[in-house]
Amino acid sequence: MDWDDLRVFLAVARAESLSGAGRVLKCDAATVGRRIARLEEGLGAKIFLKSPHGYALTDAGARLLPHAEAAEAATAAAEEALSGEAGQLTGQLRIGAPDGCANYLLPQVCAAICDAHPGLEIQLIALPRLFNLSKREADMAIAVSRPTAGRLTVQKLADYQLHLAADRDYLAAHPPVTSRADLRGHRMIGYIPDMIFDKELDYLAETGVEAVGLASNSVSVQMQMVRAGAGLGIVHDFAIPFCPGVSRVLPDEIGLRRTFWLLRHADDRRSERLGRLAEALGQGLRAEIARLEAAAAVQ
């Protein structure tokens, strides 16, 4: 067994299909299938079970997986050291993040990191869902709650605030909001209830509002609804400065605090390169959140 065989094994395990693994490995599905058959023959065991849903690991494959991942991490560390890049922010790095963070914070934070490290290429995946680091959908991911399971390295990045907000034109055209009780006479904007993928995103439950009149699974779309004067919604304070005319409502009565967490695969914890990126991300996010929240408080 050699590393190249394990690389093919990991690609199929993560993609759960020969064609998906082929796209990652830049070869056709037939070639991937032959490589897996050769590996199984050499091991004397079946490592995948084919079904209508794709390729699933057998018990033998599941036992092989952590060893293959450890070999992958060791190979990456060796390449990093021998190339003279140990501790340097160079190469390609992929970050997964919820769309609010990705839209309003990470563009400027990642730009500053790339300015400081010209050899670095950052790919940002902005999706309102959780990322599967075991399948290497990203090198690291930002989450809104701390996971309690999985082989992950978890690091707190920053706290952030959310408040009820509305556009000034909406507020001028509708009855005044002076207390929580007044919210019953207004249209509320929020998440689609059955698409809330994390309990930390159930903002309106904390305001006592029972239903939303306009809903989206995207934070950015919700913010644009608020900006368009469509109603009131719980929004990130750090997004308010990007929307002139939007201001906080009942800030002393309705306010939430949440936390961004940085997740990395456990096998990556020895990577000095990823550790330095994590530190740069944390510093950049904390500074940008503080700057934008201060601006939101006086908008």
Side-chain angles (χ1 to χ4, degrees):
M1 186 193 314
D2 60 26
W3 160 239
D4 208 39
D5 290 332
L6 291 178
R7 188 168 65 94
V8 175
F9 164 71
L10 286 172
V12 176
R14 290 163 180 166
E16 298 180 346
S17 73
L18 299 183
S19 58
R23 285 191 292 272
V24 173
L25 299 169
K26 295 181 172 56
C27 63
D28 58 68
T31 299
V32 176
R34 287 193 296 271
R35 295 289 299 279
I36 290 298
R38 187 179 76 181
L39 177 58
E40 289 181 329
E41 183 179 356
L43 292 171
K46 294 288 290 184
I47 53 178
F48 287 106
L49 179 65
K50 185 179 180 181
S51 75
H53 303 292
Y55 280 68
L57 290 171
T58 63
D59 289 343
R63 291 195 298 272
L64 177 61
L65 183 62
H67 299 289
E69 289 177 332
E72 179 183 49
T75 301
E79 290 175 348
E80 184 178 304
L82 292 174
S83 66
E85 294 177 358
Q88 299 299 307
L89 296 180
T90 60
Q92 183 185 94
L93 288 158
R94 180 174 291 180
I95 304 169
D99 66 331
C101 179
N103 275 281
Y104 299 110
L105 295 172
L106 287 180
Q108 54 271 39
V109 171
C110 290
I113 293 173
C114 287
D115 287 344
H117 305 277
L120 180 65
E121 174 193 339
I122 295 179
Q123 296 180 348
L124 180 58
I125 306 176
L127 290 174
R129 66 168 178 82
L130 297 176
F131 288 83
N132 191 326
L133 295 181
S134 294
K135 293 185 178 180
R136 298 296 176 171
E137 293 180 340
D139 295 302
M140 52 181 61
I142 295 173
V144 294
S145 64
R146 181 168 191 152
T148 57
R151 296 182 61 247
L152 300 170
T153 298
V154 182
Q155 171 185 339
K156 180 178 177 179
L157 283 177
D159 292 326
Y160 61 95
Q161 298 184 71
L162 305 99
H163 283 89
L164 188 68
D167 183 78
R168 67 166 66 97
D169 290 339
Y170 175 87
L171 294 173
H174 293 80
V177 181
T178 58
S179 69
R180 285 177 186 257
D182 294 330
L183 297 179
R184 287 193 292 269
H186 291 265
R187 180 192 293 131
M188 299 301 298
I189 295 166
Y191 276 99
I192 300 171
D194 61 358
M195 297 187 74
I196 296 176
F197 66 89
D198 192 300
K199 62 181 177 59
E200 295 294 332
L201 302 178
D202 192 8
Y203 306 140
L204 291 179
E206 298 186 33
T207 69
V209 175
E210 297 180 356
V212 296
L214 279 173
S216 172
N217 68 323
S218 166
V219 166
S220 301
V221 172
Q222 293 173 33
M223 190 71 210
Q224 291 307 313
M225 289 175 174
V226 171
R227 187 180 188 182
L232 295 111
I234 297 290
V235 305
H236 298 83
D237 281 23
F238 59 67
I240 293 176
F242 293 93
C243 300
V246 173
S247 60
R248 301 188 304 177
V249 177
L250 302 178
D252 296 328
E253 192 170 343
I254 298 177
L256 294 78
R257 182 177 292 275
R258 293 290 190 268
T259 300
F260 285 131
W261 301 89
L262 185 67
L263 316 181
R264 294 160 55 190
H265 196 279
D267 290 336
D268 294 337
R269 64 185 179 274
R270 299 184 198 86
S271 171
E272 183 181 357
R273 176 169 166 263
L274 291 179
R276 290 194 62 203
L277 177 67
E279 182 62 26
L281 272 177
Q283 291 177 355
L285 279 174
R286 287 188 290 273
E288 191 63 7
I289 288 171
R291 182 184 73 83
L292 292 171
E293 287 187 346
V298 297
Q299 183 165 312

